[in-house]
Structure formats: C-alpha cells, structure tokens
C-alpha cells in the first residue's frame, strides 16, 4: 500500500461484520485496539461504517475506543461520536408499501428497522434463523398489528433464496444487495456506505480516507475511497476493486493491514 496524501485531514472507515468483528469469535484483539488508538494519535479520525443499526453495534466495539462517528444502516443513518443522529434518509411511503407487497405476495419474511427497533413481518423460518446466527443477533419480534410510520423506516431487509431476493429488482428505486447469508439489503438507490462516508467527510472536513470491508454492501465504499482495503475473506469481486487485500478477519486482517500500511 502507498500513502497517497499524508498531509490531508484523514479518516478511516471500518465495516463491522467480517472486517473488524469476527462473528465466530466475537472480540477485538488487544493489539488491534492499541493500534486503533495509535491511529488516532496519528490524527486519523476513526469511524464504524456498518449495515447494522446503531443499537445493534456490540458494546465491545463501541467501548473499545472513542470512535469519531458511526455510519449505520448502509449509509442511511449517520451519528456523531456521542451517538447523536446527524442524518437520516428514510423510505418514501410508496416504495415502502411496494416492497411489503412483493414480500407478502411471495410469502417472504422482511425485517424492518427504525432508529429504535427492528421488526419481522412474519414468524421467522430457518433462513431467518441462519442469518441471525451468522450475525450473532437476537431475532426481532414479529410486527403483528403494530403500525409503523413509513417515514420512520431506516432500513429494510428480506430473507430468502437468491431467486426470491431478486424479485425486488423490479423496484427501480431499490438496489438489492445480497448478504453473506440468506438475506439481501433493500437499499434506496444512491444511498450506500460510500454516500454515508461522503456525508461524514464533509461534516468532519476529511479529504483523505481509507476504507476496510469484506461484503457486497462495501463495494462502493472500497471502490471510491482513496484506499480501499478488502479482507481476505471477501469475495473475488470485492477483492478485485480493492487497492489492497489483507488477511481474513479470523487472522486479524485489519491489524495486519495497519501494520503494513504504516511500515512503508
């Protein structure tokens, strides 16, 4: 890796699951925590950039260091260092309604996220259970008769097999991003982790950024950051657009990349 602009206001943006956080061994190594603190001493601002809601970020992550901000729900919600919301991009009612219709017509379970809670649209099946086991998350309650104001919806997911998930590609305003398990993020077109990163860049006056990720929802962030670093556990597509490929998450790949980067 090569430092492109060492004099800039600098930021590092970290995906969570499969990048900083190994769901099969959920903890941060002490050497990684100390290295992140060293990056802050080198005047890098450090951010989490995740598909999770702010509430679903493990406390071990939040408390590891003093993060400079959080980008959540794949760029749809941005928070300052103290967890105060800076930006929220919600689903238009017509799009929200159409996505629910497609799910109901095809007997698919959706997950609806607001800033304070997650809901399932129907009782969970095996595919929902598998996805939640992957993330180490509790299964949300079923929506039932609860009425959600569409303007409060900050993220939507659907569970199923690939051909079922692709049914949502018929909605022009939605980008269907397949996850690492049996689910897809239904992201508003033009809203993604990189758009969230851009908001934070402007808010914090950052003009040089390094991004770390492993999954399809990290694509834009890794492609358009000044330096995009893919984990060794990434797909070939993600590795192909990255500037550098580090070790997998289970081998502390973020730590390895930081050591390599600053040894130049």
């Amino acid at each position: 890796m090569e430092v492109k602009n060492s004099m800039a206001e600098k930021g590092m943006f970290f995906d969570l699951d499969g990048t900083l956080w190994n769901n099969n061994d959920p903890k941060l190594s002490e050497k990684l925590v100390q290295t992140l603190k060293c990056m802050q001493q080198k005047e890098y601002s450090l951010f989490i950039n995740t598909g999770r809601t702010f509430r679903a970020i493990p406390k071990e992550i939040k408390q590891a260091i003093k993060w400079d901000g959080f980008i959540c729900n794949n760029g749809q919600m941005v928070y300052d260092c103290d967890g105060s919301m800076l930006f929220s991009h919600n689903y238009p009612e017509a799009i929200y309604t159409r996505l629910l219709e497609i799910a109901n017509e095809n007997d698919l379970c959706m997950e609806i996220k607001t800033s304070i809670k997650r809901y399932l649209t129907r009782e969970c099946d095996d595919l929902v259970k598998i996805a939640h086991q992957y993330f180490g998350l509790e299964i949300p309650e079923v929506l039932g008769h609860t009425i959600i104001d569409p303007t409060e919806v900050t993220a939507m997911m659907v569970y199923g097999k690939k051909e079922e998930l692709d049914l949502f590609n018929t909605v022009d305003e939605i980008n269907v991003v397949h996850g690492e398990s049996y689910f897809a993020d239904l992201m508003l077109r033009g809203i993604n982790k990189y758009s969230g990163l851009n908001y934070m860049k402007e808010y914090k006056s950052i003009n040089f950024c390094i991004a770390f990720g492993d999954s399809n929802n990290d694509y834009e962030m890794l492609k358009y950051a000044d330096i995009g670093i893919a984990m060794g556990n990434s797909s070939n597509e993600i590795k192909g657009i990255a500037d550098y490929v580090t070790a997998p998450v289970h081998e502390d790949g973020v730590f390895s990349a930081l050591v390599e980067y600053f040894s130049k």
Side-chain angles (χ1 to χ4, degrees):
M1 282 180 291
E2 179 183 355
V3 180
K4 297 180 181 178
N5 188 351
S6 61
M7 298 302 292
E9 294 296 325
K10 302 166 290 188
M12 292 185 181
F13 295 80
F14 300 91
D15 168 54
L16 192 52
D17 297 283
T19 300
L20 271 184
W21 194 244
N22 180 2
N23 291 297
N24 295 319
D25 186 19
K27 63 179 183 293
L28 296 183
S29 68
E30 183 59 28
K31 63 184 180 181
L32 174 56
V33 171
Q34 294 305 316
T35 302
L36 292 173
K37 291 178 179 178
C38 286
M39 296 302 101
Q40 291 179 314
Q41 292 172 2
K42 293 177 182 291
E43 299 185 345
Y44 275 86
S45 298
L46 304 185
F47 306 90
I48 295 293
N49 198 347
T50 179
R52 294 191 183 214
T53 64
F54 181 76
R55 287 172 173 255
I57 298 174
K59 67 179 186 301
E60 293 88 349
I61 294 286
K62 288 180 179 176
Q63 297 172 359
I65 64 169
K66 180 65 174 177
W67 297 97
D68 293 283
F70 304 85
I71 301 165
C72 298
N73 296 15
N74 294 313
Q76 292 193 192
M77 301 192 75
V78 179
Y79 298 85
D80 209 345
C81 58
D82 60 358
S84 59
M85 189 187 302
L86 299 173
F87 171 84
S88 176
H89 197 106
N90 300 57
Y91 288 75
E93 184 173 0
I95 296 174
Y96 170 79
T97 301
R98 181 57 186 141
L99 295 175
L100 286 178
E101 287 175 349
I102 295 173
N104 290 334
E105 290 166 1
N106 294 278
D107 297 322
L108 298 175
C109 181
M110 294 191 71
E111 182 171 329
I112 299 172
K113 302 178 184 181
T114 71
S115 61
I116 61 174
K117 203 163 186 178
R118 301 181 298 129
Y119 300 92
L120 296 180
T121 56
R122 60 178 62 212
E123 294 292 338
C124 70
D125 56 22
D126 289 342
L127 299 185
V128 176
K129 292 177 181 177
I130 290 171
H132 281 78
Q133 287 171 355
Y134 171 79
F135 287 108
L137 292 173
E138 293 184 3
I139 294 175
E141 68 180 72
V142 177
L143 189 58
H145 297 294
T146 302
I147 298 175
I148 297 180
D149 182 347
T151 63
E152 296 181 357
V153 175
T154 57
M156 300 179 75
M157 298 168 58
V158 62
Y159 297 91
K161 298 177 181 178
K162 184 180 185 303
E163 60 272 18
E164 296 172 321
L165 303 177
D166 286 340
L167 294 170
F168 293 84
N169 283 317
T170 58
V171 183
D172 292 339
E173 299 86 352
I174 291 295
N175 188 21
V176 180
V177 180
H178 292 267
E180 299 303 311
S181 185
Y182 294 99
F183 73 91
D185 292 303
L186 303 178
M187 298 163 58
L188 290 168
R189 197 168 294 279
I191 305 296
N192 51 56
K193 288 187 177 184
Y194 185 67
S195 67
L197 182 155
N198 260 335
Y199 180 94
M200 192 64 83
K201 281 176 64 177
E202 294 182 10
Y203 181 73
K204 297 285 190 179
S205 300
I206 293 169
N207 51 25
F208 173 74
C209 65
I210 304 172
F212 298 75
D214 74 299
S215 298
N216 292 333
N217 63 355
D218 299 315
Y219 183 92
E220 293 86 357
M221 177 174 73
L222 295 181
K223 183 175 181 179
Y224 297 114
D226 293 286
I227 295 180
I229 300 175
M231 304 299 291
N233 45 283
S234 304
S235 67
N236 288 334
E237 181 181 14
I238 294 300
K239 291 177 181 176
I241 54 95
D243 298 294
Y244 178 79
V245 179
T246 186
V249 63
H250 64 270
E251 295 178 8
D252 223 352
V254 171
F255 169 77
S256 298
L258 292 174
V259 170
E260 168 73 11
Y261 181 83
F262 286 98
S263 67
K264 299 296 185 181

